[in-house]
Amino acid sequence: MPQHFHVNTPLLESVSMSKMAGTAVYLKMENCQPSGSFKIRGVGHLCQQLASRSKGVVCSSGGNAGMAAAYVARKMGLPATVVVPSSTPPLVVRRLQEQGAAVKVAGKVWDDANAEALRLAETEQLTFVPPFDHPLLWEGHASVVAEAAAALGPGARPGAVLLSVGGGGLLCGVVRGLKDAGWADVPVIAMETVGADCFNAAIKAGELVTLDDITSEAKCLGAKTVCRRAFELSQSGEATIISELVTDQEALRAVQMFLGQ
C-alpha cells in the first residue's frame, strides 16, 4: 500500500488575480489530485487507518468525497458504496461508477444520503467514510498547508488563506495545518454560497444551526449543519476565521474566472 494516495499539488501564482487583488495570489491546484479534489487527502488517510481489513467502505457524498472514497477503495482492493442525494448530477454518478463504486440514490439532500450510508455501515458491516466530520480527515487535509509552506520557502507566510466551506472538513484541516506550520495567526477566509450557508448561520446564531433546505446551486457545499469542530474553532479564538457569503451568480462568475487562469 502506498504511503498516501494524494499527490503534492503545485502552488501557482496567478498574475491576473494578483493584479486584481493588489497582492500576490497563489492557487493550490487541488484539481490535480487523482480524484479531482482535496478530499483524497483526508479520505485516503482515514481509509488507511480504519479500512485496511474492512469488508468494504460506504460514503455519503454529493460528489468529491465520494470520488475520493471510490478511488481509494479501488486502490485498496475494497468494494465501495457511495450514497448520493437526488440532486447529484448524472455526470458525477457516472464518474463514481467508472471508479468501480456502487452508487445508491437516497433523499433530496446530503443529510438524507448520510442517514442511509450510516444505516448501510451498520447493517452490512462496512467502514463508514464521513465526508467532513472526523479527526482523521482533518489530519489528512492538514497536509495541504504543509505543502504550501514548503513551496513558499523559509520565512515566507501567507497574509490569509481562502477556502470554501460545506460541512467544514477542509476548514478544520487547514486550521490544524496552520498551527503545525507556525502560522496559527494567519486569518482564514471561509466562503459559502447563500442557500448553503450553515457555517455562517451558526456564527450569526452563536450555536449550531440546521438549515431548512439547501437552495444554492452549489450542491457539493450542501450540508445542512456544519461540523461541531468547525463551529468551535470560530468561537474559541484558536484561529481567526472570517465567514463570507456570495450569491450563486457571484460564485459562477468566479468559476469562469478560475477557468481563465
Side-chain angles (χ1 to χ4, degrees), residues 1-7 40-49 72 75-76 139-140 143 147:
M1 187 184 300
Q3 183 179 359
H4 49 68
F5 294 99
H6 66 268
V7 299
I40 195 172
R41 295 179 181 272
V43 168
H45 182 59
L46 182 143
C47 287
Q48 283 180 312
Q49 299 298 313
V72 170
K75 289 295 186 180
M76 293 179 69
E139 189 174 288
S143 61
E147 290 177 10

Side-chain angles (χ1 to χ4, degrees), residues 74-238:
R74 181 170 61 82
K75 289 295 186 180
M76 293 179 69
L78 295 171
T81 299
V82 181
V83 188
V84 300
S86 59
S87 57
T88 305
L91 175 63
V92 173
V93 173
R94 186 165 69 251
R95 286 183 174 172
L96 288 168
Q97 292 169 334
E98 288 171 353
Q99 285 288 347
V103 180
K104 181 172 184 178
V105 179
K108 178 184 176 184
V109 297
W110 170 81
D111 300 76
D112 302 329
N114 191 57
E116 175 61 13
L118 286 168
R119 186 192 70 79
L120 288 174
E122 182 175 355
T123 59
E124 300 187 19
Q125 298 180 317
L126 302 173
T127 298
F128 176 64
V129 179
F132 55 81
D133 194 2
H134 197 287
L136 288 174
L137 296 176
W138 312 332
E139 189 174 288
H141 295 336
S143 61
V144 74
V145 180
E147 290 177 10
L152 289 173
R157 58 189 288 115
V161 174
L162 186 105
L163 49 76
S164 61
V165 173
L170 179 60
L171 174 61
C172 293
V174 164
V175 169
R176 175 175 177 145
L178 290 173
K179 291 179 181 178
D180 293 344
W183 292 348
D185 59 335
V186 172
V188 179
I189 303 173
M191 305 298 302
E192 294 174 284
T193 51
V194 176
D197 50 350
C198 58
F199 182 56
N200 185 268
I203 290 175
K204 288 177 178 176
E207 61 183 359
L208 286 175
V209 169
T210 299
L211 303 177
D212 292 333
D213 197 7
I214 301 298
T215 57
S216 170
E217 290 301 317
K219 302 302 182 187
C220 62
L221 298 181
K224 292 167 72 174
T225 309
V226 76
C227 70
R228 181 172 294 278
R229 177 58 178 160
F231 173 69
E232 289 173 350
L233 288 171
S234 74
Q235 304 294 299
S236 66
E238 294 178 64

